[in-house]
Amino acid sequence: MNSLFQSEPQILNLPDTEIIYYPSLFNKKEADAIFAQLANEIPWQQDDIQVFGKTHPQPRLTALFGNEGKPYSYSNIKMQPHPWTPLLQKIKWQIESITDTNFTTVLLNQYRDGKDSNGWHADNEKELGINPIIASVSFGAERVFQLKHNSIKGLKKSIILEHGSLLIMRGTTQHFWKHQIPKTSKPIGSRINLTFRIIK
Protein backbone atom coordinates (compact mmCIF):
# COMPACT_ATOMS: atom_id res chain seq x y z
CA MET A 1 0.00 0.00 0.00
CA ASN A 2 1.39 3.32 -1.03
CA SER A 3 -1.40 5.67 0.00
CA LEU A 4 -1.33 9.38 -0.65
CA PHE A 5 -3.27 12.03 1.24
CA GLN A 6 -5.44 13.63 -1.40
CA SER A 7 -6.80 16.35 0.90
CA GLU A 8 -5.79 18.02 4.14
CA PRO A 9 -7.04 16.61 7.46
CA GLN A 10 -9.99 18.44 8.95
CA ILE A 11 -10.01 19.22 12.69
CA LEU A 12 -13.55 19.53 14.03
CA ASN A 13 -14.02 22.72 16.03
CA LEU A 14 -16.22 21.27 18.78
CA PRO A 15 -16.00 21.54 22.59
CA ASP A 16 -14.90 18.65 24.83
CA THR A 17 -13.52 16.61 21.97
CA GLU A 18 -10.56 15.94 19.70
CA ILE A 19 -11.75 14.70 16.30
CA ILE A 20 -9.69 14.71 13.11
CA TYR A 21 -11.06 13.61 9.73
CA TYR A 22 -8.94 12.54 6.75
CA PRO A 23 -11.27 12.40 3.72
CA SER A 24 -8.87 10.40 1.53
CA LEU A 25 -6.48 8.23 3.50
CA PHE A 26 -6.62 5.66 0.67
CA ASN A 27 -7.02 6.56 -2.99
CA LYS A 28 -10.00 5.13 -4.84
CA LYS A 29 -8.12 2.25 -6.45
CA GLU A 30 -6.72 1.10 -3.10
CA ALA A 31 -10.03 1.59 -1.31
CA ASP A 32 -11.91 -0.41 -3.96
CA ALA A 33 -9.46 -3.32 -3.64
CA ILE A 34 -9.55 -3.29 0.17
CA PHE A 35 -13.35 -3.18 0.25
CA ALA A 36 -13.63 -6.19 -2.09
CA GLN A 37 -11.12 -8.22 -0.08
CA LEU A 38 -12.77 -7.43 3.26
CA ALA A 39 -16.25 -8.22 1.93
CA ASN A 40 -15.12 -11.63 0.68
CA GLU A 41 -12.58 -12.78 3.25
CA ILE A 42 -13.82 -11.61 6.66
CA PRO A 43 -15.83 -14.20 8.69
CA TRP A 44 -18.81 -11.90 9.25
CA GLN A 45 -21.31 -12.70 12.00
CA GLN A 46 -24.66 -11.30 13.11
CA ASP A 47 -25.20 -11.34 16.87
CA ASP A 48 -28.44 -10.82 18.76
CA ILE A 49 -28.84 -7.74 20.95
CA GLN A 50 -31.36 -6.91 23.65
CA VAL A 51 -33.34 -3.68 23.30
CA PHE A 52 -35.89 -2.85 26.01
CA GLY A 53 -36.00 -6.49 27.09
CA LYS A 54 -36.53 -7.86 23.59
CA THR A 55 -34.00 -9.75 21.50
CA HIS A 56 -33.33 -8.64 17.92
CA PRO A 57 -30.68 -9.44 15.30
CA GLN A 58 -28.06 -6.71 15.33
CA PRO A 59 -28.72 -4.41 12.33
CA ARG A 60 -25.28 -4.98 10.78
CA LEU A 61 -22.62 -7.67 10.47
CA THR A 62 -19.52 -7.64 12.67
CA ALA A 63 -16.14 -9.28 13.20
CA LEU A 64 -13.34 -8.78 15.73
CA PHE A 65 -9.62 -9.17 15.10
CA GLY A 66 -6.83 -8.52 17.54
CA ASN A 67 -4.12 -9.63 19.88
CA GLU A 68 -4.63 -13.04 21.44
CA GLY A 69 -6.64 -13.18 24.63
CA LYS A 70 -8.25 -9.74 24.44
CA PRO A 71 -12.02 -10.12 23.93
CA TYR A 72 -14.28 -7.09 23.52
CA SER A 73 -17.71 -6.65 25.11
CA TYR A 74 -20.51 -4.22 24.29
CA SER A 75 -24.33 -4.30 24.48
CA ASN A 76 -24.18 -7.66 26.32
CA ILE A 77 -22.19 -9.15 23.44
CA LYS A 78 -18.75 -10.63 24.13
CA MET A 79 -16.62 -11.09 21.03
CA GLN A 80 -13.48 -13.19 20.80
CA PRO A 81 -10.84 -11.93 18.37
CA HIS A 82 -9.64 -13.68 15.24
CA PRO A 83 -5.88 -13.43 14.57
CA TRP A 84 -4.75 -10.51 12.40
CA THR A 85 -4.88 -11.04 8.64
CA PRO A 86 -2.08 -9.61 6.47
CA LEU A 87 -4.45 -6.97 5.06
CA LEU A 88 -5.71 -5.83 8.45
CA GLN A 89 -2.13 -5.77 9.76
CA LYS A 90 -1.08 -3.48 6.89
CA ILE A 91 -3.98 -1.11 7.52
CA LYS A 92 -3.19 -1.18 11.24
CA TRP A 93 0.46 -0.21 10.63
CA GLN A 94 -0.63 2.67 8.44
CA ILE A 95 -3.10 3.98 11.04
CA GLU A 96 -0.49 3.59 13.79
CA SER A 97 2.03 5.67 11.84
CA ILE A 98 -0.51 8.51 11.60
CA THR A 99 -1.78 8.35 15.19
CA ASP A 100 1.51 7.36 16.88
CA THR A 101 -0.52 4.71 18.71
CA ASN A 102 -0.20 0.94 18.99
CA PHE A 103 -3.67 -0.60 18.60
CA THR A 104 -4.50 -4.05 19.94
CA THR A 105 -7.87 -4.66 18.31
CA VAL A 106 -10.10 -3.80 15.37
CA LEU A 107 -13.89 -4.14 15.35
CA LEU A 108 -15.31 -4.42 11.83
CA ASN A 109 -18.87 -3.49 10.92
CA GLN A 110 -20.58 -4.19 7.60
CA TYR A 111 -23.64 -2.08 6.83
CA ARG A 112 -25.24 -4.07 4.03
CA ASP A 113 -27.65 -1.32 2.96
CA GLY A 114 -29.45 1.73 4.33
CA LYS A 115 -31.50 -0.40 6.73
CA ASP A 116 -28.37 -1.38 8.65
CA SER A 117 -27.36 1.09 11.34
CA ASN A 118 -25.64 1.72 14.67
CA GLY A 119 -27.65 3.65 17.29
CA TRP A 120 -26.52 6.39 19.66
CA HIS A 121 -23.63 5.23 21.84
CA ALA A 122 -20.19 6.12 23.17
CA ASP A 123 -17.13 3.88 22.95
CA ASN A 124 -16.68 4.02 26.72
CA GLU A 125 -16.45 0.36 27.69
CA LYS A 126 -14.23 -0.16 30.72
CA GLU A 127 -11.68 -2.27 28.81
CA LEU A 128 -10.92 0.75 26.61
CA GLY A 129 -9.69 2.78 29.59
CA ILE A 130 -10.01 6.51 30.18
CA ASN A 131 -9.95 8.87 27.17
CA PRO A 132 -9.61 6.10 24.56
CA ILE A 133 -8.42 6.77 21.03
CA ILE A 134 -10.62 5.30 18.30
CA ALA A 135 -9.45 5.29 14.66
CA SER A 136 -12.27 4.58 12.21
CA VAL A 137 -11.60 3.70 8.56
CA SER A 138 -14.47 3.53 6.04
CA PHE A 139 -14.76 1.69 2.72
CA GLY A 140 -17.69 1.44 0.32
CA ALA A 141 -20.88 3.49 0.31
CA GLU A 142 -20.78 6.87 2.03
CA ARG A 143 -22.79 7.10 5.25
CA VAL A 144 -23.71 9.94 7.59
CA PHE A 145 -21.87 9.91 10.94
CA GLN A 146 -23.76 11.92 13.56
CA LEU A 147 -22.47 13.32 16.86
CA LYS A 148 -24.40 14.88 19.73
CA HIS A 149 -23.16 16.40 23.01
CA ASN A 150 -24.37 14.77 26.21
CA SER A 151 -25.16 17.96 28.11
CA ILE A 152 -25.16 20.91 25.67
CA LYS A 153 -28.67 20.73 24.28
CA GLY A 154 -28.92 20.98 20.52
CA LEU A 155 -25.18 20.68 19.90
CA LYS A 156 -24.88 18.21 17.03
CA LYS A 157 -22.58 17.57 14.09
CA SER A 158 -22.89 15.41 10.98
CA ILE A 159 -20.02 14.17 8.81
CA ILE A 160 -20.18 12.20 5.55
CA LEU A 161 -17.72 9.32 5.95
CA GLU A 162 -16.22 8.84 2.51
CA HIS A 163 -14.78 5.80 0.74
CA GLY A 164 -11.18 5.40 1.97
CA SER A 165 -11.47 7.96 4.80
CA LEU A 166 -10.12 7.98 8.36
CA LEU A 167 -11.84 9.51 11.41
CA ILE A 168 -9.86 9.79 14.67
CA MET A 169 -11.63 10.37 18.00
CA ARG A 170 -9.47 10.95 21.06
CA GLY A 171 -9.24 12.95 24.30
CA THR A 172 -12.52 13.35 26.19
CA THR A 173 -14.73 12.64 23.16
CA GLN A 174 -16.32 9.47 24.57
CA HIS A 175 -17.11 11.18 27.90
CA PHE A 176 -19.00 14.12 26.43
CA TRP A 177 -20.32 12.90 23.07
CA LYS A 178 -22.38 10.08 21.57
CA HIS A 179 -22.31 9.06 17.93
CA GLN A 180 -24.35 6.95 15.51
CA ILE A 181 -24.77 5.76 11.93
CA PRO A 182 -28.51 6.29 11.30
CA LYS A 183 -30.69 4.32 8.93
CA THR A 184 -31.44 5.87 5.55
CA SER A 185 -34.27 5.24 3.10
CA LYS A 186 -32.01 6.10 0.17
CA PRO A 187 -30.95 3.19 -2.06
CA ILE A 188 -27.37 2.69 -0.92
CA GLY A 189 -24.70 0.04 -1.24
CA SER A 190 -22.63 -1.75 1.38
CA ARG A 191 -20.19 0.02 3.70
CA ILE A 192 -17.41 -1.62 5.71
CA ASN A 193 -16.01 0.22 8.71
CA LEU A 194 -12.91 -0.68 10.73
CA THR A 195 -12.61 0.82 14.23
CA PHE A 196 -9.16 0.38 15.70
CA ARG A 197 -8.91 0.56 19.48
CA ILE A 198 -6.77 -0.44 22.47
CA ILE A 199 -8.07 -3.11 24.83
CA LYS A 200 -6.42 -2.63 28.20
Side-chain angles (χ1 to χ4, degrees), residues 35 109-111 138-141 143 161 181 189-193:
F35 175 84
N109 292 288
Q110 182 179 169
Y111 301 85
S138 297
F139 301 102
R143 292 292 293 262
L161 296 180
I181 300 288
S190 175
R191 168 182 179 258
I192 294 175
N193 170 241

Side-chain angles (χ1 to χ4, degrees), residues 98-143:
I98 296 167
T99 59
D100 194 27
T101 302
N102 293 319
F103 293 101
T104 67
T105 306
V106 62
L107 175 65
L108 293 86
N109 292 288
Q110 182 179 169
Y111 301 85
R112 294 160 292 184
D113 53 32
K115 296 176 183 177
D116 278 357
S117 63
N118 197 344
W120 288 114
H121 69 284
D123 295 320
N124 56 4
E125 291 79 18
K126 63 181 181 180
E127 58 258 58
L128 298 179
I130 299 172
N131 295 339
I133 176 171
I134 308 290
S136 174
V137 191
S138 297
F139 301 102
E142 295 180 352
R143 292 292 293 262

Side-chain angles (χ1 to χ4, degrees), residues 7-193:
S7 53
E8 291 297 314
Q10 303 167 10
I11 300 174
L12 273 64
N13 185 21
L14 296 169
D16 306 319
T17 186
E18 294 177 40
I19 299 178
I20 305 172
Y21 178 60
Y22 296 83
S24 301
L25 174 63
F26 297 96
N27 63 46
K28 185 179 185 303
K29 183 178 179 181
E30 287 178 319
D32 286 348
I34 293 170
F35 175 84
Q37 190 171 342
L38 293 173
N40 292 323
E41 295 182 0
I42 295 298
W44 298 104
Q45 64 190 64
Q46 185 174 24
D47 294 303
D48 288 333
I49 56 171
Q50 284 197 339
V51 181
F52 302 118
K54 295 184 177 181
T55 301
H56 304 274
Q58 193 167 215
R60 60 190 179 279
L61 305 180
T62 60
L64 187 74
F65 287 77
N67 298 354
E68 186 177 352
K70 291 187 180 291
Y72 182 58
S73 301
Y74 67 98
S75 301
N76 295 316
I77 297 170
K78 186 173 184 177
M79 300 184 71
Q80 298 292 337
H82 300 283
W84 292 100
T85 68
L87 175 60
L88 291 175
Q89 190 78 66
K90 287 179 181 178
I91 298 172
K92 175 176 177 284
W93 289 335
Q94 192 148 349
I95 304 304
E96 288 177 339
S97 69
I98 296 167
T99 59
D100 194 27
T101 302
N102 293 319
F103 293 101
T104 67
T105 306
V106 62
L107 175 65
L108 293 86
N109 292 288
Q110 182 179 169
Y111 301 85
R112 294 160 292 184
D113 53 32
K115 296 176 183 177
D116 278 357
S117 63
N118 197 344
W120 288 114
H121 69 284
D123 295 320
N124 56 4
E125 291 79 18
K126 63 181 181 180
E127 58 258 58
L128 298 179
I130 299 172
N131 295 339
I133 176 171
I134 308 290
S136 174
V137 191
S138 297
F139 301 102
E142 295 180 352
R143 292 292 293 262
V144 176
F145 179 81
Q146 296 179 335
L147 292 147
K148 68 175 180 180
H149 198 279
N150 291 336
S151 58
I152 302 177
K153 190 174 181 180
L155 182 54
K156 296 181 179 180
K157 177 71 175 178
S158 293
I159 309 167
I160 302 294
L161 296 180
E162 299 164 76
H163 184 40
S165 66
L166 167 65
L167 181 82
I168 299 169
M169 297 184 286
R170 63 196 318 164
T172 60
T173 303
Q174 306 304 325
H175 295 280
F176 291 97
W177 292 81
K178 289 184 174 64
H179 55 274
Q180 73 166 355
I181 300 288
K183 297 180 188 295
T184 177
S185 58
K186 296 178 182 177
I188 196 168
S190 175
R191 168 182 179 258
I192 294 175
N193 170 241

